[in-house]
Amino acid sequence: MEESIVKVEHLSHRYSVQWAIRDINFEITKNGIYGLLGSNGAGKSTTMNIMCGVLKQTEGDVYIKGISISKNPVEAKRHIGFLPQVPPLHLDLTVEEYLEYCAELRHIPDREVKKAVQEVMVRCGISHFAKRVIHNLSGGYQQRVGIAQAIIHNPELVIFDEPTNGLDPNQIVEIRHLIKEIAEERTVILSTHILTEVQATCDYIRMIEQGSMVFSGTVEEFDNYIQPNTLVVSLGTVPLVADIQALPGVVRVDELGGPRFRIQFSDAREAINSIVEASYTRGWQLTELQQEKSSLDTIFAELSKK
Ligand SMILES: Nc1ncnc2c1ncn2[C@@H]1O[C@H](COP(=O)(O)OP(=O)(O)OP(=O)(O)O)[C@@H](O)[C@H]1O
């Protein structure tokens, strides 16, 4: 049996009277990058804060490598690194001073602190800023320092809450690259409301909407979750739209300009067969026929409605 890295069991949380998350369940047994996806206010930060032992849940529990975060938080937290939405930086310290402080908080033995700090600075590409006061770093480099504090104790699981929020496009690319490197050796969970972030960075998706889990699977499964229902075809000779529309399996035809058409179908196989056959018998000279994929945005909108 595969070892459980994280297990979230019947997790619910209520701030005063309102439930922020309700009966969230999932388990992670394989390394990789997991995107916790959801729109603003869906419950991502609440879930992550509980997973990291920063917030005490109302109901349910989280197990990190089988250790309960509520019953044995100190032991469970040894295996976790966390970068909250607002990085917990001390802006008036230098990068090196701050990371030494983090190493002590993480109970790294005194004689190993210097080495751990040097290694993590190399890992996160910030060695050249070791003596720089954090306040004077750009947003992207401050985020690197935030990532460094999350992995200084070499945890098996790293959790990032909206790690590219507020960064410029170049910084976003660099931070995504760093996250992928970090994930080569450990499991990473990152939260985001940006679909392209998931596409660019993650292997798996857990999607939360209105406090409940609405999807759990790979990015590819997510992409195919809502079955596409359109084809794009290009024809050598241009028939009447009504002639295409009349074919079995075809529901609607839109002209895309020139000889290209978007065809909405009720039954993919029936529509494809009838288009290919008509092209052959009526001399339409089919040159392109492809099924369109639902964009992540469409899927997101559909799932959010459910
Ligand atoms: N401290 C709090 N007190 C009361 N309600 C809260 C508190 N924090 C969050 N909430 C509410 O709980 C729900 C879930 O919020 P949460 O921050 O977990 O969502 P999120 O998916 O992380 O959103 P965002 O992307 O905007 O951070 C929201 O309705 C939010 O208003």
Side-chain angles (χ1 to χ4, degrees):
M1 209 175 96
E2 284 175 301
E3 198 191 356
S4 175
I5 300 165
V6 187
K7 193 169 189 190
V8 174
E9 255 183 17
H10 302 297
L11 198 64
S12 298
H13 189 71
R14 194 173 51 198
Y15 295 101
S16 63
V17 289
Q18 187 121 14
W19 289 99
I21 52 167
R22 207 67 176 114
D23 200 26
I24 301 269
N25 293 278
F26 66 90
E27 186 170 16
I28 291 177
T29 55
K30 283 195 202 96
N31 273 347
I33 308 186
Y34 292 76
L36 190 61
L37 181 67
S39 43
N40 287 331
K44 304 180 296 294
S45 295
T46 303
T47 307
M48 290 192 145
N49 287 338
I50 296 169
M51 287 169 75
C52 296
V54 179
L55 178 68
K56 186 141 178 50
Q57 66 272 36
T58 313
E59 287 172 12
D61 209 347
V62 176
Y63 299 87
I64 310 293
K65 295 184 75 84
I67 306 161
S68 157
I69 195 89
S70 62
K71 297 193 186 72
N72 206 345
V74 175
E75 183 56 27
K77 282 192 218 176
R78 271 187 219 288
H79 302 285
I80 312 172
F82 183 35
L83 177 64
Q85 220 165 61
V86 180
L89 303 176
H90 287 251
L91 298 177
D92 49 349
L93 296 182
T94 66
V95 170
E96 198 171 35
E97 286 166 349
Y98 170 68
L99 290 174
E100 283 173 7
Y101 166 70
C102 296
E104 282 164 28
L105 287 183
R106 287 295 188 174
H107 304 295
I108 294 175
D110 285 350
R111 61 191 143 68
E112 291 170 26
V113 167
K114 281 262 177 263
K115 185 166 170 275
V117 170
Q118 293 308 320
E119 279 177 4
V120 84
M121 286 195 298
V122 171
R123 191 88 196 79
C124 296
I126 48 178
S127 300
H128 54 304
F129 287 140
K131 306 287 182 206
R132 178 84 62 98
V133 173
I134 296 174
H135 181 74
N136 296 330
L137 294 177
S138 67
Y141 275 97
Q142 289 194 0
Q143 197 66 335
R144 282 174 184 263
V145 178
I147 292 174
Q149 67 74 34
I151 62 169
I152 193 159
H153 55 303
N154 216 3
E156 288 104 316
L157 172 68
V158 190
I159 299 182
F160 297 126
D161 197 352
E162 307 255 8
T164 58
N165 219 7
L167 301 180
D168 72 31
N170 286 335
Q171 292 168 341
I172 289 176
V173 171
E174 287 172 9
I175 293 297
R176 283 179 184 165
H177 187 72
L178 178 58
I179 290 173
K180 282 187 186 171
E181 281 180 4
I182 286 169
E184 284 168 12
E185 301 144 17
R186 43 178 78 83
T187 300
V188 168
I189 303 178
L190 63 86
S191 82
T192 180
H193 60 273
I194 305 160
L195 296 166
T196 47
E197 176 106 315
V198 170
Q199 259 179 328
T201 322
C202 302
D203 307 304
Y204 306 95
I205 294 185
R206 302 287 182 268
M207 184 173 173
I208 297 182
E209 271 314 316
Q210 294 176 353
S212 299
M213 183 77 76
V214 293
F215 182 87
S216 175
T218 64
V219 171
E220 203 185 355
E221 284 164 351
F222 185 76
D223 208 5
N224 291 325
Y225 186 68
I226 292 174
Q227 284 299 316
N229 64 349
T230 51
L231 299 165
V232 170
V233 300
S234 295
L235 303 169
T237 57
V238 184
L240 291 173
V241 168
D243 288 344
I244 307 176
Q245 188 111 37
L247 296 174
V250 173
V251 173
R252 177 193 156 120
V253 180
D254 293 312
E255 291 175 89
L256 299 177
R260 294 187 88 222
F261 300 89
R262 172 169 290 116
I263 298 177
Q264 194 183 333
F265 55 79
S266 54
D267 178 322
R269 187 169 297 179
E270 190 182 23
I272 291 169
N273 283 343
S274 62
I275 292 164
V276 171
E277 192 183 320
S279 165
Y280 180 67
T281 55
R282 303 185 205 179
W284 290 350
Q285 297 167 14
L286 183 65
T287 55
E288 178 197 2
L289 187 152
Q290 61 173 329
Q291 196 160 339
E292 288 191 301
K293 281 199 158 195
S294 302
S295 73
L296 279 174
D297 288 294
T298 318
I299 297 168
F300 188 65
E302 284 296 322
L303 282 170
S304 303
K305 274 191 262 161
K306 284 184 181 171

